[in-house]
Amino acid sequence: MTGTSEGPSGDRLSGERRGERSDGERRGERSDSGRFGGERSGGREQRPAGGQRGERPARGGQWGARAGGDRRDGGRRPPARPTVDLPRQVAYEAVAAVHRDDAYANLVLPSLLRDAGLVGRDAAFATELTYGTLRHLGTLDAILSDAAGRDVQRIDPPVRDALRLGAYQLLHTRVPAHAAVSSTVDLVRAVGPGATGFANAVLREVAGRDADAWVAKLAPSAESDPVGHLALAYSHPQWIVRAFAEALGGDLGETTRLLIEDNERPPVHLCARPGLADPAELADEAGGAPGAFSPYAVYLSGGAPGDLPALAQGRAHVQDEGSQLVANALAVAPLDGPDGRWLDLCAGPGGKSGLLGALAAQRDARLTAVEVSEHRARLVEQATRGLPVTVLHTDGRTVGADPKLPEAHFDRVLVDAPCTGLGSLRRRPESRWRRQPSDLPPLTRLQRELLAAALRATRPGGLVAYVTCSPHTVETHVTVTEAARRSGVPVDFVDARPLLPAGMPGLGDGPTVQLWPHRHGTDAMFLAMLRRT
């Protein structure tokens, strides 16, 4: 990732099975309007492009070109001065691509930064505007609707996205109000020239209150509608707030702390692959610090992790510390009998397979990594190159029918199931607005089928780790209980708490474990450990 530390640091993203994963790739790597006119940083020329599909480029065909047309000076003219600065242009293009193309910010933003030549503070500012606007989208839209006197969905999409960026600057950054208003009006002039007066009026209305005052005006009463109040105050859909509160035992105070943490910029976590990199040395090399819990974790506060030699050399990879902990828990769980055949049943794009493969190499074991998507299977192959890992491009539910996936064969099995991804909303803020309760039935059915297949694949006495990057109880306790009951395979739950680092707080009563951003600084990973009896 170029010039920014925002983006994925879990180990799966949304896959072809309609579920979210905690690292890897997503749709929408590029916007078709991701290049800008004017001058790049460093004086390199850029190619012109319009702001939205089907629109004419503003001001003589280029972003940011000075009004007034061509100069009659023998073909020579001074470099164009961008009317809208590049960081705001890049942020606009990223937000527009998310809403127009169903793109994912963690994929589209790096290419836009690279095309614009943005690094350092400019890249950080563009990143903050992009992710901040997407995190606070629900509340920003409520405020803009009130300020405009019309539902925000009735505003022309290019203008609407520009106003969202402007409102975010006014309410959540230190950008002076006059600069936030004028720069956003300039942006509207480029993407929706007829709406500059409207944009100016709306933004001045927004600037009349701070964020707390807007919440006080628009949010339902905390006493009469606590969920509605939290949803607007902390910019999450109400159904997600309810799911979080249920998973936290109805504690609205702790739910509030979780929502606040979801809106903070998360650090990047690296995984130093055991036997290939020492975490302390990697921390020194990367300018980071050793992690708090995982023995392999390194925290980065900024920079571009993709530029680190350790990643290019396969000695480390980007992976949320919670994902490291649940994968390591499977590897360290006590096991009687043989211990050489490991299985990752939903492996793409390969973060957990990379860690398990490195651990297997130290123990004379071999990992079979299964991935149903051909593209993601290739990513697993890249992520595990040089490790004792065999990648199978097949559906994990074919255990018993596929001769390469025999029943009662494997000693340790990981099911990192596709899920709603509600545990990683701080890293992928657009997901909170895309997910719907209607996504749950097909996902939970798939989760149960995959866990049942994993139990069939495990030998008697072997272990299965069921993992999701979601705290929703339907995807965690309900799924694992129902799958174990219906599988026809006798199993016992193993207390997962001793498999995590000693002294780690807030692990609950067991036998399952739910990690939390506000308690542990990790994604909200769920872990259930089962032993086939």
Side-chain angles (χ1 to χ4, degrees), residues 20-21 24 58 91 104 127 181 183 190-191 213 219 235 280 360 367 415 450 468 470 478 486 515:
E20 299 265 351
R21 305 234 177 135
Y104 291 90
T127 300
V181 172
S183 62
V191 302
S235 201
L367 176 71
V415 184
L450 286 167
T468 65
S470 171
V478 173
R486 298 178 184 181
L515 303 178

Side-chain angles (χ1 to χ4, degrees), residues 27-37 47-55 57 63 92-103 107-109 111-112 115:
R27 295 174 294 163
E29 282 89 348
R30 295 238 12 190
S31 162
D32 64 349
S33 53
R35 297 189 178 95
F36 308 103
R47 286 167 282 185
Q52 293 282 323
R53 288 179 176 172
E55 292 186 353
W63 271 96
Y92 168 79
E93 286 293 331
V95 170
V98 167
H99 296 139
R100 182 188 61 234
D101 306 328
D102 279 344
L107 290 183
V108 74
L109 182 59
S111 63
L112 292 172
D115 286 351

Side-chain angles (χ1 to χ4, degrees), residues 273-438:
R273 292 186 170 181
L276 299 173
D278 177 84
E281 293 176 0
L282 179 62
D284 289 341
E285 176 184 332
F293 301 115
S294 167
Y296 315 114
V298 172
Y299 299 165
L300 298 183
S301 59
D307 296 337
L308 294 172
L311 272 68
Q313 296 162 2
R315 297 185 291 115
H317 59 269
V318 176
Q319 184 178 41
D320 179 77
E321 188 174 22
S323 293
Q324 298 175 39
L325 289 168
V326 295
N328 189 60
L330 174 63
V332 302
L335 180 68
D336 294 329
D339 192 14
R341 296 175 295 200
W342 298 5
L343 173 65
D344 184 350
L345 204 60
C346 315
K352 293 184 180 69
S353 291
L355 175 54
L356 288 173
L359 290 168
Q362 294 183 313
R363 292 161 54 174
D364 247 359
R366 186 163 194 91
L367 176 71
T368 299
V370 176
E371 174 52 47
V372 68
S373 157
E374 182 177 2
H375 171 60
R376 293 169 69 86
R378 288 196 299 268
L379 292 177
V380 178
E381 290 175 347
Q382 295 169 12
T384 59
R385 188 174 293 118
L387 299 173
V389 177
T390 299
V391 179
L392 298 182
H393 170 215
T394 189
D395 191 321
R397 291 171 291 181
T398 60
V399 169
D402 188 327
K404 295 180 181 178
L405 290 176
E407 294 190 8
H409 178 75
F410 294 95
D411 307 305
R412 298 180 190 266
V413 179
L414 173 66
V415 184
D416 187 12
C419 66
T420 56
L422 301 187
S424 58
L425 297 183
R426 59 188 186 144
R427 302 192 186 281
R428 288 175 284 280
E430 64 274 359
S431 292
R432 72 181 74 177
W433 312 115
R434 290 178 177 171
R435 282 298 181 191
Q436 300 294 331
S438 58

Side-chain angles (χ1 to χ4, degrees), residues 183-234:
S183 62
T184 305
V185 171
D186 285 340
L187 179 57
V188 170
R189 186 174 292 113
V191 302
T196 54
F198 168 73
N200 185 69
V202 170
L203 291 170
R204 291 187 181 280
E205 182 70 19
V206 172
R209 294 180 173 85
D210 64 16
D212 290 340
W214 275 112
V215 169
K217 177 183 180 183
L218 299 177
S221 164
E223 289 71 31
S224 61
D225 185 3
V227 169
H229 180 86
L230 290 174
L232 192 136
Y234 300 106

Side-chain angles (χ1 to χ4, degrees), residues 14-326:
S14 179
E16 286 72 13
R17 295 198 194 103
R18 300 178 59 192
E20 299 265 351
R21 305 234 177 135
S22 332
D23 76 354
E25 87 293 343
R26 286 191 187 254
R27 295 174 294 163
E29 282 89 348
R30 295 238 12 190
S31 162
D32 64 349
S33 53
R35 297 189 178 95
F36 308 103
E39 295 279 316
R40 273 190 182 179
S41 269
R44 290 175 293 170
E45 183 180 352
Q46 291 183 241
R47 286 167 282 185
Q52 293 282 323
R53 288 179 176 172
E55 292 186 353
R56 292 182 180 178
R59 300 194 175 195
Q62 291 191 351
W63 271 96
R66 192 191 295 268
D70 293 335
R71 291 172 56 93
R72 305 300 185 208
D73 57 1
R76 298 172 60 190
R77 61 183 300 168
R81 176 179 61 85
T83 300
V84 182
D85 60 282
L86 280 176
R88 288 182 172 91
Q89 290 179 14
V90 167
Y92 168 79
E93 286 293 331
V95 170
V98 167
H99 296 139
R100 182 188 61 234
D101 306 328
D102 279 344
Y104 291 90
N106 67 309
L107 290 183
V108 74
L109 182 59
S111 63
L112 292 172
L113 292 171
R114 184 171 55 252
D115 286 351
L118 291 184
V119 296
R121 294 180 63 182
D122 285 344
F125 183 52
T127 300
E128 167 64 15
L129 292 185
T130 300
Y131 280 88
T133 299
L134 294 173
R135 288 189 182 105
H136 292 272
L137 190 67
T139 305
L140 293 175
D141 280 0
I143 293 169
L144 288 170
S145 293
D146 187 86
R150 68 180 76 169
D151 189 282
V152 74
Q153 297 304 319
R154 294 177 55 203
I155 300 173
D156 190 42
V159 176
R160 181 170 65 219
D161 282 330
L163 289 174
R164 287 162 166 166
L165 285 163
Y168 178 76
Q169 292 172 69
L170 287 167
L171 300 174
H172 295 285
T173 75
R174 296 181 180 179
V175 174
H178 68 88
V181 172
S182 64
S183 62
T184 305
V185 171
D186 285 340
L187 179 57
V188 170
R189 186 174 292 113
V191 302
T196 54
F198 168 73
N200 185 69
V202 170
L203 291 170
R204 291 187 181 280
E205 182 70 19
V206 172
R209 294 180 173 85
D210 64 16
D212 290 340
W214 275 112
V215 169
K217 177 183 180 183
L218 299 177
S221 164
E223 289 71 31
S224 61
D225 185 3
V227 169
H229 180 86
L230 290 174
L232 192 136
Y234 300 106
S235 201
H236 283 68
Q238 289 194 26
W239 76 274
I240 293 179
V241 176
R242 290 192 190 94
F244 286 170
E246 181 182 1
L248 288 165
D251 187 331
L252 292 181
E254 191 170 9
T255 302
T256 301
R257 292 193 291 276
L258 170 59
L259 298 176
I260 291 171
E261 189 66 27
D262 254 0
N263 288 334
E264 293 296 319
R265 183 172 69 108
V268 171
H269 295 171
L270 301 181
C271 176
R273 292 186 170 181
L276 299 173
D278 177 84
E281 293 176 0
L282 179 62
D284 289 341
E285 176 184 332
F293 301 115
S294 167
Y296 315 114
V298 172
Y299 299 165
L300 298 183
S301 59
D307 296 337
L308 294 172
L311 272 68
Q313 296 162 2
R315 297 185 291 115
H317 59 269
V318 176
Q319 184 178 41
D320 179 77
E321 188 174 22
S323 293
Q324 298 175 39
L325 289 168
V326 295

Side-chain angles (χ1 to χ4, degrees), residues 466 476-477 480-481 493-498 500 506-515 525-530:
Y466 173 78
T476 57
H477 297 285
V480 74
T481 301
F493 280 86
V494 175
D495 191 346
R497 293 172 299 170
L500 297 177
L507 297 182
D509 300 326
T512 62
V513 164
Q514 178 68 64
L515 303 178
M525 303 297 299
F526 173 82
L527 169 65
M529 192 72 67
L530 302 98

